[in-house]
Amino acid sequence: MRLTFHGGAKEVTGANYLLELGDTKILVDCGMMQGSNYAERQNFEPFPYDPKTVSAVFVTHAHIDHTGRLPKLVKDGFRGEVFSTPPTREFAEHLLEDSVDILSREAKKHNREPFCRPETLGVLKGLWKGVKYGEEITVGPFKIIFHNAGHILGSSFIEIKAPSTNSGQETKIIFSGDLGNMPSPLIKPVEYIDNADYCLIESTYGGRLHERVDKLRDDLEDIVENTVKAGGTLMIPAFAMERTQALLYHLDSLMGEGRIPRVPVFLDSPLAIRLTGVYQQFGDYFNKETREFLKKDKSLFDFPSLKRTLRTEDSKKISRVPPPKIIIAGSGMSQGGRIIHHEKEYLPDPKSIILFVGYQVKGSLGRRIIDGEKMVKILREDVPVRAKPVTIHGYSAHADQRQLLDWLSPMRQGLKKVFVVQGEEDQSTPLARKIEDELAVSAEIPSLGETVILQ
Ligand code: ZN
C-alpha cells in the first residue's frame, strides 16, 4: 500500500492524502491551502495525480481546509464517490458555496482559469453519500470506517484497512482529521481506538497546552459584564462553525440564569446563520449536557435578545442600536466580512472590547490588533485602536498536545509509525518528539509530495 502526502505536510491547511493498492486509488480529504490570503495560488494548480483515476474520497469534516479543492477535483474529471457523515455533507454544501464564490472572484481578479464551473457543485453533491459513524464501507481492497473526532459537529477520524501483501493479515491506518478540544461545549467527545499499524495525526496545537475548557463560560461572563458596565460594544470576530454556536449557547444559558443582563446580541453573518440552521437538524450529535439543556429550552441557539441580520441593510442598522451590545460576525481573523465594518466603528471607542476566540494567522488584522498595534488600516482608512483586545483560547475546536498524546496512547503497542501532519513545524516538531519520548513510537514529519510504503 502506497501513501502520498499531497497536502497538510508541514502546514496546517490543504489536507490531501492518496492511498494506492493495486489499481485502486482513494483520497482522504481534499482541502484548500490557506495562508495570510484566504485562498493561495496553489489551489488553482493541477493535482499531482489524475483525478479521473481516483475511485473515492473520504472527507473527515466540513472545514474548507479539508474540503475546499473538491470542486476542482470534480472539474478536473473526478467522478467517483465522496463519503462523509450526513452533517459534514450538509455543512460542506454551505461552506463550499461560500468559498467557491470567493475563489471565483479571486480567479477573475488575477486572470486565472476559473476554479470550477457553475454546474460543478451540483455534480459534486450528486456524488456525495452520507455514512454513519461505525458503518463499514468497501471500495476495492479497502475497508473504511468513520469515527467521531469531537472537533466540530459530524467530524470524523477515519480508519482504513487493507490486505497486507505478505500474509493473510490486514494493515490498519488511521487518519485523525482534526481532533476536538475536550470537553466540547456542544458535541460528544472523541472516540478512542486501541490498535492500528499506522496513524496520521494533526498537530495544529502540537506544541501547546490550552487553558481549562470548563472556565470558558465564566470568562465570557466576565467579559460581557465588563462591556456592559463600561457601556461599550463587545465585538467578537468568529468563525461561522462551532465557535459561533458555542458562543450563542453560552450567551443563551448565561442570560437564562440571570448571570448577564439581556443586552442585544447580533449574529451578523449570513453563513453562520445558515450553518446554525444545520446544527438544529442534527440534535443526536450533541453531548449529554446540551441535550439536557434542550429539554428545558427548545431553542439552543435562540434567545429573546438575539437578532440575526441576514440582509446587508439590517447589518448597517446595528450601529443605530445604542450600546451596550454584542456583535458576532465573520470573518474569524478579520480578513474581510462584516466584522471589519463594526471594527471600523468601535475600535476607536475605549469603552468597547474586541474578543478573539480563535487562532489569528500572522499578518491578519486580528493578529495585528492582538499584537498591540495602535493604528490599523480598515477599508483604506486609518483607524485608531482604543478598544481593549481580549483573547479566550479555550473555544478552539482543536486538541492540544496533551489531548493528542492521550488519544494516541491506547494504540501505541501496535503502532509501527506515526506521521505528524497538519501543523506548522514549531507545533509538529515538539509533538513528534513527545510521541517518541513518551509513547516510544517512531514519529515522522512528512514532506509535501513524499510517498511511503505501508506494510
Ligand atoms: Zn477543522
Side-chain angles (χ1 to χ4, degrees):
M1 181 164 37
R2 283 159 61 88
L3 165 66
T4 309
F5 302 88
H6 287 302
K10 297 186 179 163
E11 58 186 344
V12 174
T13 62
N16 188 220
Y17 310 105
L18 177 68
L19 263 183
E20 299 168 86
L21 182 61
D23 297 335
T24 312
K25 289 187 183 135
I26 59 171
L27 288 173
V28 174
D29 288 339
C30 192
M32 194 160 94
M33 286 165 264
Q34 291 170 286
S36 54
N37 285 326
Y38 177 81
E40 297 289 315
R41 186 182 40 82
Q42 297 99 292
N43 294 295
F44 294 85
E45 285 171 5
F47 289 99
Y49 45 83
D50 182 0
K52 290 191 197 82
T53 62
V54 175
S55 303
V57 186
F58 296 87
V59 178
T60 58
H61 66 289
H63 278 150
I64 286 300
D65 56 334
H66 293 258
T67 59
R69 280 188 293 161
L70 279 169
K72 181 168 165 59
L73 197 74
V74 169
K75 185 197 134 214
D76 293 354
F78 169 77
R79 288 298 179 273
E81 292 171 294
V82 179
F83 295 96
S84 77
T85 63
T88 296
R89 192 185 49 187
E90 293 294 313
F91 287 128
E93 199 184 324
H94 294 287
L95 289 164
L96 286 172
E97 222 171 84
D98 194 66
S99 80
V100 161
D101 198 45
I102 298 170
L103 285 161
S104 303
R105 272 184 273 141
E106 191 84 356
K108 251 186 218 152
K109 200 167 93 189
H110 299 286
N111 251 334
R112 289 184 193 136
E113 188 192 333
F115 183 69
C116 65
R117 284 187 270 275
E119 69 277 13
T120 306
L121 284 180
V123 177
L124 174 60
K125 198 178 166 191
L127 306 172
W128 202 314
K129 293 172 181 63
V131 281
K132 291 197 185 103
Y133 292 135
E135 197 179 310
E136 189 174 272
I137 312 147
T138 304
V139 173
F142 296 107
K143 288 185 203 143
I144 302 98
I145 302 177
F146 287 77
H147 298 274
N148 177 21
H151 168 57
I152 56 171
L153 196 138
S155 65
S156 315
F157 66 86
I158 297 178
E159 169 186 341
I160 299 182
K161 284 180 286 191
S164 206
T165 31
N166 41 12
S167 62
Q169 284 179 336
E170 284 180 323
T171 303
K172 193 201 275 190
I173 169 163
I174 306 286
F175 294 81
S176 77
D178 284 347
L179 296 172
N181 179 18
M182 285 168 287
S184 150
L186 293 169
I187 57 169
K188 291 176 190 166
V190 63
E191 284 176 48
Y192 291 86
I193 289 276
D194 60 8
N195 73 83
D197 298 292
Y198 298 95
C199 181
L200 278 75
I201 190 162
E202 68 123 327
S203 55
T204 313
Y205 288 130
R208 60 167 289 163
L209 297 171
H210 293 322
E211 60 208 273
R212 275 169 46 210
V213 177
D214 50 6
K215 267 180 64 238
L216 276 186
R217 215 171 65 119
D218 298 341
D219 289 347
L220 182 66
E221 179 183 351
D222 290 345
I223 292 165
V224 174
E225 271 172 355
N226 290 341
T227 315
V228 172
K229 237 182 266 162
T233 298
L234 176 60
M235 297 165 269
I236 313 180
F239 296 88
M241 265 197 89
E242 208 77 11
R243 253 162 283 199
T244 292
Q245 290 75 24
L247 282 165
L248 291 177
Y249 171 45
H250 282 165
L251 289 170
D252 186 3
S253 65
L254 287 169
M255 286 181 184
E257 291 165 27
R259 286 172 57 183
I260 55 172
R262 291 190 181 278
V263 294
V265 178
F266 296 94
L267 179 56
D268 190 27
S269 156
L271 180 61
I273 294 169
R274 290 204 300 274
L275 293 172
T276 305
V278 178
Y279 270 81
Q280 272 148 336
Q281 294 168 35
F282 292 102
D284 297 352
Y285 288 78
F286 293 141
N287 60 29
K288 205 169 144 232
E289 198 190 7
T290 312
R291 277 178 286 139
E292 285 298 316
F293 181 87
L294 265 175
K295 282 183 194 159
K296 291 174 277 163
D297 183 339
K298 288 270 173 289
S299 49
L300 190 59
F301 307 115
D302 197 6
F303 43 93
S305 64
L306 176 69
K307 288 174 190 64
R308 297 180 184 79
T309 44
L310 209 46
R311 299 177 314 164
T312 316
E313 305 90 278
D314 297 328
S315 170
K316 285 181 179 157
K317 283 183 201 154
I318 296 175
S319 63
R320 291 191 216 151
V321 177
K325 60 188 169 189
I326 300 170
I327 305 169
I328 304 171
S331 71
M333 298 189 204
S334 304
Q335 288 161 306
R338 290 182 181 176
I339 192 71
I340 59 171
H341 297 273
H342 304 298
E343 288 172 345
K344 198 173 146 212
E345 176 115 18
Y346 298 108
L347 280 177
D349 171 27
K351 298 195 290 296
S352 292
I353 293 180
I354 180 161
L355 168 62
F356 296 99
V357 290
Y359 178 72
Q360 305 292 312
V361 78
K362 258 202 190 113
S364 62
L365 177 58
R367 178 66 166 265
R368 298 211 307 274
I369 296 169
I370 290 182
D371 288 347
E373 283 190 24
K374 290 285 170 255
M375 187 70 84
V376 292
K377 232 184 189 70
I378 300 179
L379 303 167
R380 291 187 206 91
E381 267 179 50
D382 286 326
V383 179
V385 183
R386 295 193 200 99
K388 188 178 165 207
V390 183
T391 304
I392 305 183
H393 287 294
Y395 279 104
S396 166
H398 282 276
D400 65 3
Q401 187 186 69
R402 186 71 261 148
Q403 293 174 334
L404 292 168
L405 290 167
D406 288 349
W407 180 76
L408 272 179
S409 182
M411 50 180 134
R412 72 181 183 279
Q413 299 291 354
L415 275 177
K416 293 173 188 155
K417 183 162 272 180
V418 173
F419 300 99
V420 181
V421 294
Q422 291 155 226
E424 287 169 15
E425 277 182 283
D426 65 329
Q427 300 294 316
S428 49
T429 306
L431 182 66
R433 207 169 297 141
K434 279 272 180 187
I435 291 169
E436 297 205 315
D437 294 350
E438 249 185 56
L439 306 180
V441 176
S442 154
E444 187 189 315
I445 302 168
S447 303
L448 189 66
E450 187 178 328
T451 297
V452 290
I453 307 292
L454 308 178
Q455 46 202 349

Short mmCIF file of all heavy atoms in Angstrom, two decimals, residues 23-76:
data_model
loop_
_atom_site.label_atom_id
_atom_site.label_comp_id
_atom_site.label_asym_id
_atom_site.label_seq_id
_atom_site.Cartn_x
_atom_site.Cartn_y
_atom_site.Cartn_z
N ASP A 23 -4.80 -1.44 -8.41
CA ASP A 23 -5.27 -0.36 -9.30
C ASP A 23 -6.16 0.64 -8.58
O ASP A 23 -6.65 1.59 -9.19
CB ASP A 23 -6.11 -0.95 -10.45
CG ASP A 23 -5.27 -1.86 -11.32
OD1 ASP A 23 -4.04 -1.67 -11.33
OD2 ASP A 23 -5.85 -2.78 -11.95
N THR A 24 -6.43 0.41 -7.29
CA THR A 24 -7.40 1.27 -6.61
C THR A 24 -6.71 2.45 -5.93
O THR A 24 -5.75 2.28 -5.19
CB THR A 24 -8.21 0.47 -5.56
OG1 THR A 24 -8.68 -0.72 -6.18
CG2 THR A 24 -9.38 1.28 -5.04
N LYS A 25 -7.26 3.64 -6.23
CA LYS A 25 -6.74 4.86 -5.59
C LYS A 25 -7.87 5.50 -4.81
O LYS A 25 -8.96 5.72 -5.36
CB LYS A 25 -6.30 5.87 -6.65
CG LYS A 25 -5.05 5.49 -7.38
CD LYS A 25 -4.62 6.66 -8.27
CE LYS A 25 -3.41 6.24 -9.06
NZ LYS A 25 -3.45 6.58 -10.45
N ILE A 26 -7.61 5.84 -3.55
CA ILE A 26 -8.60 6.60 -2.79
C ILE A 26 -7.91 7.80 -2.11
O ILE A 26 -6.70 7.78 -1.89
CB ILE A 26 -9.33 5.74 -1.72
CG1 ILE A 26 -8.34 5.15 -0.71
CG2 ILE A 26 -10.16 4.64 -2.37
CD1 ILE A 26 -9.02 4.46 0.48
N LEU A 27 -8.71 8.82 -1.82
CA LEU A 27 -8.17 10.01 -1.16
C LEU A 27 -8.82 10.18 0.20
O LEU A 27 -9.99 9.84 0.38
CB LEU A 27 -8.49 11.27 -1.96
CG LEU A 27 -7.76 11.54 -3.28
CD1 LEU A 27 -8.38 12.76 -3.96
CD2 LEU A 27 -6.28 11.78 -3.04
N VAL A 28 -8.06 10.72 1.14
CA VAL A 28 -8.66 11.22 2.37
C VAL A 28 -8.50 12.74 2.33
O VAL A 28 -7.38 13.24 2.21
CB VAL A 28 -8.00 10.63 3.62
CG1 VAL A 28 -8.55 11.29 4.89
CG2 VAL A 28 -8.20 9.12 3.68
N ASP A 29 -9.61 13.44 2.35
CA ASP A 29 -9.69 14.91 2.31
C ASP A 29 -9.12 15.51 1.02
O ASP A 29 -8.29 14.89 0.34
CB ASP A 29 -9.00 15.55 3.53
CG ASP A 29 -9.82 15.35 4.81
OD1 ASP A 29 -11.03 15.09 4.69
OD2 ASP A 29 -9.24 15.44 5.91
N CYS A 30 -9.61 16.69 0.71
CA CYS A 30 -9.13 17.38 -0.49
C CYS A 30 -9.27 18.88 -0.18
O CYS A 30 -10.12 19.57 -0.70
CB CYS A 30 -9.98 16.97 -1.70
SG CYS A 30 -9.26 17.50 -3.25
N GLY A 31 -8.42 19.33 0.73
CA GLY A 31 -8.61 20.65 1.34
C GLY A 31 -7.94 21.79 0.60
O GLY A 31 -7.03 21.60 -0.19
N MET A 32 -8.41 22.96 0.94
CA MET A 32 -7.85 24.17 0.36
C MET A 32 -6.64 24.63 1.17
O MET A 32 -6.61 24.47 2.39
CB MET A 32 -8.92 25.26 0.40
CG MET A 32 -8.59 26.44 -0.45
SD MET A 32 -10.09 27.34 -0.81
CE MET A 32 -10.04 28.54 0.48
N MET A 33 -5.66 25.18 0.46
CA MET A 33 -4.49 25.72 1.15
C MET A 33 -4.76 27.18 1.48
O MET A 33 -5.13 27.96 0.61
CB MET A 33 -3.27 25.59 0.26
CG MET A 33 -2.78 24.17 0.20
SD MET A 33 -1.64 23.91 -1.14
CE MET A 33 -2.72 23.29 -2.40
N GLN A 34 -4.59 27.54 2.75
CA GLN A 34 -4.85 28.91 3.18
C GLN A 34 -3.64 29.48 3.88
O GLN A 34 -2.99 28.79 4.66
CB GLN A 34 -6.05 28.93 4.15
CG GLN A 34 -7.35 28.60 3.47
CD GLN A 34 -8.47 28.39 4.46
OE1 GLN A 34 -8.51 27.39 5.14
NE2 GLN A 34 -9.36 29.35 4.56
N GLY A 35 -3.35 30.71 3.56
CA GLY A 35 -2.24 31.37 4.23
C GLY A 35 -2.72 32.72 4.71
O GLY A 35 -3.88 32.84 5.13
N SER A 36 -1.86 33.74 4.61
CA SER A 36 -2.33 35.06 5.02
C SER A 36 -3.40 35.56 4.06
O SER A 36 -4.22 36.40 4.39
CB SER A 36 -1.17 36.04 5.13
OG SER A 36 -0.46 36.06 3.91
N ASN A 37 -3.42 34.99 2.81
CA ASN A 37 -4.55 35.21 1.91
C ASN A 37 -5.56 34.11 2.17
O ASN A 37 -5.18 33.00 2.52
CB ASN A 37 -4.12 35.08 0.45
CG ASN A 37 -3.35 36.28 0.00
OD1 ASN A 37 -3.62 37.39 0.44
ND2 ASN A 37 -2.37 36.04 -0.85
N TYR A 38 -6.84 34.41 1.94
CA TYR A 38 -7.86 33.37 2.15
C TYR A 38 -7.56 32.19 1.23
O TYR A 38 -7.62 31.05 1.64
CB TYR A 38 -9.24 33.94 1.86
CG TYR A 38 -10.36 32.93 1.97
CD1 TYR A 38 -10.88 32.59 3.21
CD2 TYR A 38 -10.88 32.31 0.83
CE1 TYR A 38 -11.89 31.66 3.32
CE2 TYR A 38 -11.90 31.37 0.94
CZ TYR A 38 -12.41 31.06 2.17
OH TYR A 38 -13.42 30.14 2.28
N ALA A 39 -7.25 32.47 -0.03
CA ALA A 39 -7.00 31.40 -0.99
C ALA A 39 -5.65 31.60 -1.65
O ALA A 39 -5.42 32.59 -2.32
CB ALA A 39 -8.09 31.41 -2.04
N GLU A 40 -4.76 30.67 -1.45
CA GLU A 40 -3.43 30.77 -2.04
C GLU A 40 -3.46 30.32 -3.50
O GLU A 40 -4.33 29.56 -3.91
CB GLU A 40 -2.46 29.89 -1.24
CG GLU A 40 -2.28 30.32 0.20
CD GLU A 40 -1.50 31.63 0.34
OE1 GLU A 40 -0.48 31.79 -0.32
OE2 GLU A 40 -1.94 32.49 1.12
N ARG A 41 -2.47 30.77 -4.25
CA ARG A 41 -2.38 30.48 -5.69
C ARG A 41 -2.35 28.97 -5.97
O ARG A 41 -2.92 28.50 -6.95
CB ARG A 41 -1.11 31.15 -6.23
CG ARG A 41 -0.89 31.10 -7.70
CD ARG A 41 0.45 31.77 -8.06
NE ARG A 41 1.50 31.44 -7.08
CZ ARG A 41 2.21 30.31 -7.09
NH1 ARG A 41 2.03 29.43 -8.03
NH2 ARG A 41 3.12 30.08 -6.16
N GLN A 42 -1.69 28.18 -5.10
CA GLN A 42 -1.54 26.74 -5.35
C GLN A 42 -2.87 26.02 -5.54
O GLN A 42 -2.93 24.97 -6.16
CB GLN A 42 -0.82 26.03 -4.19
CG GLN A 42 0.58 26.46 -3.93
CD GLN A 42 0.60 27.44 -2.77
OE1 GLN A 42 0.11 28.56 -2.90
NE2 GLN A 42 1.17 27.04 -1.65
N ASN A 43 -3.95 26.59 -4.99
CA ASN A 43 -5.25 25.93 -5.11
C ASN A 43 -5.73 25.83 -6.55
O ASN A 43 -6.60 25.05 -6.87
CB ASN A 43 -6.30 26.67 -4.29
CG ASN A 43 -6.00 26.60 -2.81
OD1 ASN A 43 -6.03 25.52 -2.22
ND2 ASN A 43 -5.68 27.73 -2.20
N PHE A 44 -5.17 26.66 -7.41
CA PHE A 44 -5.61 26.69 -8.80
C PHE A 44 -4.74 25.77 -9.67
O PHE A 44 -5.03 25.57 -10.83
CB PHE A 44 -5.55 28.13 -9.35
CG PHE A 44 -6.54 29.05 -8.68
CD1 PHE A 44 -6.22 29.70 -7.49
CD2 PHE A 44 -7.80 29.26 -9.22
CE1 PHE A 44 -7.13 30.54 -6.86
CE2 PHE A 44 -8.71 30.10 -8.61
CZ PHE A 44 -8.37 30.75 -7.42
N GLU A 45 -3.67 25.22 -9.11
CA GLU A 45 -2.74 24.40 -9.90
C GLU A 45 -3.26 22.98 -10.08
O GLU A 45 -4.05 22.50 -9.27
CB GLU A 45 -1.37 24.39 -9.20
CG GLU A 45 -0.67 25.71 -9.42
CD GLU A 45 0.60 25.87 -8.59
OE1 GLU A 45 1.00 24.91 -7.91
OE2 GLU A 45 1.17 26.97 -8.66
N PRO A 46 -2.82 22.28 -11.15
CA PRO A 46 -3.30 20.91 -11.39
C PRO A 46 -2.91 19.97 -10.24
O PRO A 46 -1.88 20.16 -9.60
CB PRO A 46 -2.58 20.48 -12.68
CG PRO A 46 -2.00 21.71 -13.27
CD PRO A 46 -1.85 22.72 -12.18
N PHE A 47 -3.75 18.95 -10.00
CA PHE A 47 -3.41 17.95 -8.98
C PHE A 47 -2.22 17.13 -9.47
O PHE A 47 -2.09 16.89 -10.67
CB PHE A 47 -4.62 17.02 -8.73
CG PHE A 47 -5.74 17.70 -8.01
CD1 PHE A 47 -6.84 18.20 -8.71
CD2 PHE A 47 -5.71 17.86 -6.63
CE1 PHE A 47 -7.88 18.83 -8.04
CE2 PHE A 47 -6.74 18.49 -5.96
CZ PHE A 47 -7.83 18.98 -6.67
N PRO A 48 -1.37 16.65 -8.55
CA PRO A 48 -0.21 15.85 -8.98
C PRO A 48 -0.59 14.41 -9.34
O PRO A 48 0.27 13.59 -9.57
CB PRO A 48 0.72 15.90 -7.76
CG PRO A 48 -0.10 16.37 -6.63
CD PRO A 48 -1.36 16.97 -7.13
N TYR A 49 -1.88 14.08 -9.35
CA TYR A 49 -2.37 12.75 -9.77
C TYR A 49 -3.55 13.00 -10.69
O TYR A 49 -4.07 14.12 -10.73
CB TYR A 49 -2.78 11.91 -8.55
CG TYR A 49 -3.61 12.71 -7.56
CD1 TYR A 49 -5.00 12.87 -7.72
CD2 TYR A 49 -3.00 13.35 -6.46
CE1 TYR A 49 -5.74 13.64 -6.83
CE2 TYR A 49 -3.74 14.12 -5.58
CZ TYR A 49 -5.10 14.26 -5.76
OH TYR A 49 -5.84 15.02 -4.90
N ASP A 50 -3.96 11.97 -11.42
CA ASP A 50 -5.09 12.16 -12.34
C ASP A 50 -6.42 11.94 -11.60
O ASP A 50 -6.73 10.82 -11.22
CB ASP A 50 -4.95 11.18 -13.51
CG ASP A 50 -6.06 11.36 -14.53
OD1 ASP A 50 -6.93 12.25 -14.33
OD2 ASP A 50 -6.08 10.60 -15.51
N PRO A 51 -7.20 13.01 -11.40
CA PRO A 51 -8.45 12.86 -10.64
C PRO A 51 -9.40 11.82 -11.25
O PRO A 51 -10.19 11.21 -10.53
CB PRO A 51 -9.08 14.26 -10.72
CG PRO A 51 -7.93 15.19 -10.92
CD PRO A 51 -6.96 14.42 -11.78
N LYS A 52 -9.28 11.58 -12.56
CA LYS A 52 -10.17 10.60 -13.23
C LYS A 52 -9.93 9.18 -12.71
O LYS A 52 -10.80 8.34 -12.78
CB LYS A 52 -9.92 10.60 -14.75
CG LYS A 52 -10.38 11.86 -15.45
CD LYS A 52 -10.33 11.65 -16.97
CE LYS A 52 -10.38 12.97 -17.71
NZ LYS A 52 -9.07 13.63 -17.80
N THR A 53 -8.71 8.92 -12.18
CA THR A 53 -8.37 7.55 -11.76
C THR A 53 -8.66 7.30 -10.27
O THR A 53 -8.40 6.22 -9.77
CB THR A 53 -6.88 7.27 -12.02
OG1 THR A 53 -6.11 8.20 -11.23
CG2 THR A 53 -6.52 7.46 -13.49
N VAL A 54 -9.20 8.31 -9.58
CA VAL A 54 -9.48 8.16 -8.14
C VAL A 54 -10.89 7.58 -7.96
O VAL A 54 -11.85 8.09 -8.53
CB VAL A 54 -9.35 9.52 -7.41
CG1 VAL A 54 -9.77 9.40 -5.95
CG2 VAL A 54 -7.93 10.07 -7.53
N SER A 55 -10.99 6.48 -7.19
CA SER A 55 -12.30 5.82 -7.01
C SER A 55 -13.19 6.52 -6.00
O SER A 55 -14.41 6.54 -6.15
CB SER A 55 -12.12 4.38 -6.53
OG SER A 55 -11.31 3.68 -7.43
N ALA A 56 -12.60 7.04 -4.93
CA ALA A 56 -13.44 7.62 -3.87
C ALA A 56 -12.63 8.60 -3.02
O ALA A 56 -11.41 8.49 -2.93
CB ALA A 56 -13.99 6.51 -2.97
N VAL A 57 -13.36 9.57 -2.43
CA VAL A 57 -12.74 10.49 -1.47
C VAL A 57 -13.48 10.34 -0.14
O VAL A 57 -14.72 10.32 -0.12
CB VAL A 57 -12.86 11.97 -1.92
CG1 VAL A 57 -12.07 12.88 -0.97
CG2 VAL A 57 -12.39 12.17 -3.34
N PHE A 58 -12.74 10.24 0.95
CA PHE A 58 -13.33 10.17 2.28
C PHE A 58 -13.03 11.48 3.00
O PHE A 58 -11.87 11.86 3.12
CB PHE A 58 -12.76 8.96 3.03
CG PHE A 58 -13.14 7.69 2.35
CD1 PHE A 58 -12.37 7.18 1.31
CD2 PHE A 58 -14.33 7.06 2.67
CE1 PHE A 58 -12.77 6.03 0.62
CE2 PHE A 58 -14.73 5.92 1.99
CZ PHE A 58 -13.96 5.41 0.96
N VAL A 59 -14.09 12.16 3.43
CA VAL A 59 -13.94 13.52 3.95
C VAL A 59 -14.08 13.49 5.47
O VAL A 59 -15.12 13.08 5.99
CB VAL A 59 -15.00 14.46 3.33
CG1 VAL A 59 -14.88 15.86 3.89
CG2 VAL A 59 -14.85 14.48 1.81
N THR A 60 -13.04 13.93 6.18
CA THR A 60 -13.09 13.86 7.65
C THR A 60 -14.10 14.84 8.23
O THR A 60 -14.84 14.51 9.14
CB THR A 60 -11.71 14.12 8.28
OG1 THR A 60 -11.25 15.41 7.87
CG2 THR A 60 -10.71 13.05 7.90
N HIS A 61 -14.11 16.10 7.73
CA HIS A 61 -15.07 17.08 8.24
C HIS A 61 -15.21 18.26 7.29
O HIS A 61 -14.48 18.36 6.31
CB HIS A 61 -14.71 17.52 9.66
CG HIS A 61 -13.44 18.29 9.78
ND1 HIS A 61 -12.19 17.71 9.61
CD2 HIS A 61 -13.19 19.59 10.04
CE1 HIS A 61 -11.25 18.62 9.77
NE2 HIS A 61 -11.83 19.78 10.04
N ALA A 62 -16.14 19.15 7.59
CA ALA A 62 -16.59 20.14 6.61
C ALA A 62 -15.68 21.37 6.46
O ALA A 62 -15.86 22.14 5.53
CB ALA A 62 -18.00 20.61 6.98
N HIS A 63 -14.73 21.57 7.36
CA HIS A 63 -13.89 22.76 7.23
C HIS A 63 -13.23 22.82 5.86
O HIS A 63 -12.79 21.79 5.31
CB HIS A 63 -12.80 22.78 8.31
CG HIS A 63 -13.29 23.31 9.63
ND1 HIS A 63 -12.78 22.90 10.83
CD2 HIS A 63 -14.24 24.23 9.92
CE1 HIS A 63 -13.39 23.54 11.81
NE2 HIS A 63 -14.29 24.35 11.28
N ILE A 64 -13.10 24.05 5.33
CA ILE A 64 -12.61 24.27 3.97
C ILE A 64 -11.19 23.73 3.76
O ILE A 64 -10.85 23.28 2.67
CB ILE A 64 -12.68 25.79 3.67
CG1 ILE A 64 -14.15 26.18 3.44
CG2 ILE A 64 -11.84 26.21 2.50
CD1 ILE A 64 -14.80 25.44 2.28
N ASP A 65 -10.36 23.75 4.82
CA ASP A 65 -9.00 23.22 4.63
C ASP A 65 -8.99 21.69 4.51
O ASP A 65 -7.93 21.08 4.34
CB ASP A 65 -8.03 23.73 5.71
CG ASP A 65 -8.50 23.43 7.12
OD1 ASP A 65 -9.71 23.30 7.35
OD2 ASP A 65 -7.63 23.34 8.02
N HIS A 66 -10.17 21.06 4.56
CA HIS A 66 -10.29 19.62 4.32
C HIS A 66 -11.19 19.29 3.13
O HIS A 66 -11.28 18.14 2.71
CB HIS A 66 -10.79 18.92 5.59
CG HIS A 66 -9.79 18.99 6.70
ND1 HIS A 66 -8.98 17.93 7.05
CD2 HIS A 66 -9.43 20.03 7.50
CE1 HIS A 66 -8.16 18.31 8.02
NE2 HIS A 66 -8.41 19.58 8.32
N THR A 67 -11.91 20.28 2.62
CA THR A 67 -12.87 20.03 1.53
C THR A 67 -12.72 20.97 0.34
O THR A 67 -13.28 20.70 -0.74
CB THR A 67 -14.32 20.26 2.03
OG1 THR A 67 -14.42 21.62 2.50
CG2 THR A 67 -14.70 19.34 3.15
N GLY A 68 -12.02 22.09 0.52
CA GLY A 68 -12.10 23.21 -0.43
C GLY A 68 -11.70 22.94 -1.86
O GLY A 68 -12.13 23.65 -2.76
N ARG A 69 -10.85 21.89 -2.11
CA ARG A 69 -10.48 21.62 -3.50
C ARG A 69 -11.32 20.52 -4.15
O ARG A 69 -11.06 20.13 -5.29
CB ARG A 69 -8.98 21.29 -3.59
CG ARG A 69 -8.11 22.57 -3.56
CD ARG A 69 -6.65 22.25 -3.85
NE ARG A 69 -6.07 21.47 -2.77
CZ ARG A 69 -4.96 20.74 -2.88
NH1 ARG A 69 -4.31 20.70 -4.03
NH2 ARG A 69 -4.48 20.07 -1.86
N LEU A 70 -12.36 20.02 -3.44
CA LEU A 70 -13.23 19.01 -4.04
C LEU A 70 -13.89 19.50 -5.33
O LEU A 70 -13.93 18.77 -6.31
CB LEU A 70 -14.31 18.57 -3.04
CG LEU A 70 -13.90 17.53 -2.00
CD1 LEU A 70 -14.97 17.39 -0.93
CD2 LEU A 70 -13.63 16.17 -2.64
N PRO A 71 -14.38 20.77 -5.39
CA PRO A 71 -14.96 21.23 -6.65
C PRO A 71 -13.95 21.19 -7.80
O PRO A 71 -14.29 20.83 -8.93
CB PRO A 71 -15.39 22.68 -6.35
CG PRO A 71 -15.57 22.71 -4.87
CD PRO A 71 -14.54 21.77 -4.31
N LYS A 72 -12.69 21.52 -7.51
CA LYS A 72 -11.67 21.47 -8.56
C LYS A 72 -11.42 20.01 -8.99
O LYS A 72 -11.22 19.73 -10.17
CB LYS A 72 -10.38 22.13 -8.09
CG LYS A 72 -9.31 22.11 -9.17
CD LYS A 72 -8.13 22.98 -8.85
CE LYS A 72 -6.94 22.66 -9.74
NZ LYS A 72 -7.23 22.84 -11.18
N LEU A 73 -11.45 19.09 -8.02
CA LEU A 73 -11.26 17.67 -8.34
C LEU A 73 -12.33 17.20 -9.33
O LEU A 73 -12.04 16.49 -10.29
CB LEU A 73 -11.34 16.85 -7.03
CG LEU A 73 -10.78 15.45 -7.07
CD1 LEU A 73 -9.25 15.45 -7.08
CD2 LEU A 73 -11.27 14.62 -5.88
N VAL A 74 -13.56 17.64 -9.08
CA VAL A 74 -14.68 17.28 -9.97
C VAL A 74 -14.50 17.95 -11.33
O VAL A 74 -14.64 17.32 -12.38
CB VAL A 74 -16.04 17.68 -9.33
CG1 VAL A 74 -17.19 17.56 -10.31
CG2 VAL A 74 -16.30 16.83 -8.09
N LYS A 75 -14.13 19.22 -11.31
CA LYS A 75 -13.92 19.94 -12.57
C LYS A 75 -12.82 19.26 -13.40
O LYS A 75 -12.90 19.19 -14.62
CB LYS A 75 -13.52 21.39 -12.28
CG LYS A 75 -13.39 22.24 -13.53
CD LYS A 75 -12.63 23.51 -13.25
CE LYS A 75 -11.60 23.74 -14.32
NZ LYS A 75 -10.38 24.36 -13.88
N ASP A 76 -11.81 18.69 -12.73
CA ASP A 76 -10.70 18.05 -13.43
C ASP A 76 -10.97 16.58 -13.76
O ASP A 76 -10.04 15.85 -14.14
CB ASP A 76 -9.40 18.18 -12.62
CG ASP A 76 -8.92 19.62 -12.53
OD1 ASP A 76 -9.53 20.49 -13.19
OD2 ASP A 76 -7.93 19.89 -11.80
#
